[in-house]
Amino acid sequence: MAGAQIIPAVKFLTSLYRAFLDTDASLLEINPFITTTDGRLFALDAKMNFDDNALFRYPDIRDLRDVTEEDPLEVEASRHNLNYIKLDGNVGCMVNGAGLAMATMDIIKYAGGMPANFLDVGGGATAEQVAYAFEILLSDKNVRAVLINIFGGILRVDTLATGVVEAAKKTNIKLPIVLRLEGTNVQEGKQILKDSGLNFTVAETMKDAAEKVVAAARG
């Protein structure tokens, strides 16, 4: 960058940082940021992501959302504060925690399957949110089996189990459901599943769960 470009570049980058802070953005990306042959600076493209928890402070930004440009299932999930992204596979996934969700999708692939979605119900999900998450999973017609992988911390395993049972009864699900459960109140959660009378498969490890759900999806 030539010396004459430093002052406008500093002005631009300072304004960029101010916009990032003033809108509670989680990402503000300029790519590419170029110089022209006559020495001018231009941002040719920009991307901004905003913190959902802060949008109540920015109704003008919130109102720019165009849900017609989004997947209907992703829109429905966002209404219930669920992190859902639709994918192309046939194994539905419900997990608490983004890191565990990524690991779950990886191990499904390792077992020879294809995840149908990313779905993080979050650490503090209620039984009602779990039920909504279940219904959203089943709204994807490509799903042939469901893997629920929960490590109970803030979201206790018995709370998860209650939500799953409620949703399974409400939707009259016929698809195979494999669960891998660990953490707070895990024994209580397993007992709730057992007492439900529904045909759940409880796996002992992530590898075991992945192998079982991939086999079930293949029929």
Side-chain angles (χ1 to χ4, degrees):
M1 183 177 290
Q5 296 169 330
I6 291 176
I7 292 176
V10 168
K11 183 179 179 181
F12 171 78
L13 294 172
T14 302
S15 298
L16 195 70
Y17 182 61
R18 187 178 303 115
F20 178 82
L21 293 180
D22 289 350
T23 59
D24 283 318
S26 56
L27 171 73
L28 203 170
E29 177 185 340
I30 303 297
N31 186 16
F33 182 41
I34 68 159
T35 60
T36 63
T37 54
D38 59 0
R40 291 177 296 165
L41 303 175
F42 281 99
L44 293 191
D45 193 17
K47 178 179 179 180
M48 293 186 74
N49 290 344
F50 302 99
D51 184 347
D52 291 343
N53 295 316
L55 280 178
F56 70 94
R57 290 196 286 263
Y58 309 101
D60 54 332
I61 295 175
R62 183 190 60 209
D63 292 344
L64 292 173
R65 183 181 184 187
D66 183 0
V67 296
T68 64
E69 295 293 321
E70 302 177 42
D71 185 279
L73 292 180
E74 294 178 13
V75 173
E76 183 64 20
S78 71
R79 293 194 178 108
H80 303 291
N81 297 314
L82 300 167
N83 298 308
Y84 173 89
I85 299 173
K86 190 177 183 302
L87 301 173
D88 296 328
N90 61 5
V91 177
C93 308
M94 184 194 302
V95 190
N96 67 322
L100 185 59
M102 296 297 290
T104 301
M105 292 191 295
D106 284 346
I107 203 164
I108 288 171
K109 289 277 289 181
Y110 184 76
M114 287 289 290
N117 63 274
F118 170 99
L119 174 55
D120 172 16
V121 297
T126 63
E128 183 179 37
Q129 281 179 299
V130 170
Y132 280 128
F134 205 77
E135 291 180 38
I136 289 167
L137 277 184
L138 299 181
S139 296
D140 182 352
K141 302 304 181 185
N142 293 326
V143 170
R144 294 290 177 263
V146 175
L147 172 57
I148 300 174
N149 188 9
I150 298 295
F151 186 87
I154 299 172
L155 173 58
R156 301 179 326 197
V157 176
D158 56 331
T159 298
L160 176 281
T162 299
V164 168
V165 170
E166 289 177 0
K169 290 181 177 178
K170 181 178 179 181
T171 57
N172 194 28
I173 184 172
K174 304 299 183 184
L175 297 178
I177 303 172
V178 179
L179 301 98
R180 180 260 183 177
L181 307 171
E182 292 292 348
T184 307
N185 291 359
V186 64
Q187 295 305 324
E188 291 88 339
K190 289 181 178 180
Q191 191 62 45
I192 289 170
L193 296 175
K194 183 178 180 180
D195 293 343
S196 72
L198 299 173
N199 188 25
F200 297 118
T201 300
V202 178
E204 294 303 318
T205 66
M206 284 180 60
K207 182 175 182 291
D208 181 38
E211 290 172 350
K212 281 182 166 65
V213 78
V214 169
R218 288 173 176 163

